[in-house]
Amino acid sequence: MPRYKERPLEWTDIMGRFEGRSHSDHLRDALGIVGRLKDEGARLFDKDSKQLRRWQGGCFELLAFLNTLGRRRDSEKQGLETAMREFIQAFEHSTERVQQMLYGAVTDPDKKENVRQKMDLVNLAFRSSTYALVSAWIEDKHDDISLVTTIDLTTGEVRQEGKRTPMRVPKKYKNSTKKV
């Protein structure tokens, strides 16, 4: 019997576990995966087609939502439950459109595997986006990053000092940071 570690890599292997990554890592993953999903539309549909515009419109909706997480948390003081509801609505609306187009676009039975791969990517986009959303509201999931720039106006010398303190994982969740 083959060992689990010897299996071929899956999409989920690139993400890691929730507790092992910071909010910025989760957000970067989610933006990248949704961006990849957006790019996959160009491989399925003609360049100037209505289907491609609809596909990319759904992906842009998700990207826009993810890019507003910090503002929703800090400026708007939106609660996590409200953000989750709005995210799930946006995700369902966008991916419903994507799923309809996927199944409508593939009439060749040989391309069914291609549809499965795209649906796996949709599922991964949901998981990574959920990780990004939830981690945005958890204080200890944030890295402490600061950059100080000093400019000497007489000489024009520019000096920068950066400091990054990685996120803190509470002891209770330390075991959840290890790879499966």
Side-chain angles (χ1 to χ4, degrees):
M1 175 187 280
R3 308 252 325 147
Y4 179 75
K5 290 181 180 181
E6 296 167 2
R7 78 194 195 300
L9 290 176
E10 297 287 334
W11 281 110
T12 53
D13 293 325
I14 65 171
M15 276 184 29
R17 297 178 73 183
F18 177 74
E19 289 297 342
R21 317 268 320 272
S22 69
H23 166 66
S24 58
D25 293 335
H26 289 306
L27 182 59
R28 186 175 42 254
D29 287 348
L31 292 171
I33 292 165
V34 173
R36 170 71 187 269
L37 188 60
K38 179 183 73 65
D39 294 343
E40 288 295 319
R43 293 187 180 124
L44 290 171
F45 304 107
D46 294 331
K47 189 170 101 174
D48 293 325
S49 68
K50 182 179 179 182
Q51 292 99 334
L52 180 60
R53 285 192 302 277
R54 287 185 67 208
W55 179 285
Q56 290 180 335
C59 293
F60 282 129
E61 185 179 346
L62 294 176
L63 290 169
F65 187 92
L66 290 169
N67 281 317
T68 63
L69 290 179
R71 187 190 79 221
R72 289 170 183 272
R73 176 181 181 249
D74 299 332
S75 302
E76 297 177 12
K77 303 281 188 227
Q78 190 175 57
L80 177 59
E81 63 282 351
T82 303
M84 282 296 294
R85 282 184 131 160
E86 290 179 8
F87 163 71
I88 289 171
Q89 271 190 334
F91 195 87
E92 286 175 342
H93 179 258
S94 299
T95 56
E96 188 78 23
R97 184 184 313 164
V98 165
Q99 288 172 346
Q100 288 171 356
M101 287 185 289
L102 263 180
Y103 286 104
V106 179
T107 54
D108 183 2
D110 294 335
K111 293 186 178 179
K112 293 285 186 204
E113 181 63 22
N114 197 11
V115 169
R116 190 191 68 75
Q117 290 173 348
K118 302 299 182 280
M119 292 312 298
D120 286 347
L121 198 54
V122 168
N123 293 332
L124 186 63
F126 182 76
R127 181 176 176 178
S128 64
S129 298
T130 302
Y131 282 9
L133 175 64
V134 172
S135 66
W137 268 260
I138 299 174
E139 199 59 44
D140 60 41
K141 297 295 283 174
H142 291 265
D143 296 325
D144 184 22
I145 301 170
S146 65
L147 179 66
V148 177
T149 303
T150 308
I151 303 172
D152 186 336
L153 295 176
T154 56
T155 64
E157 179 186 354
V158 178
R159 189 180 49 188
Q160 291 184 329
E161 276 186 44
K163 179 182 170 189
R164 180 177 184 264
T165 306
M167 67 168 198
R168 301 171 321 278
V169 178
K171 186 176 181 178
K172 179 178 179 179
Y173 303 112
K174 280 276 191 215
N175 285 339
S176 298
T177 63
K178 299 173 185 162
K179 287 187 176 187
V180 177

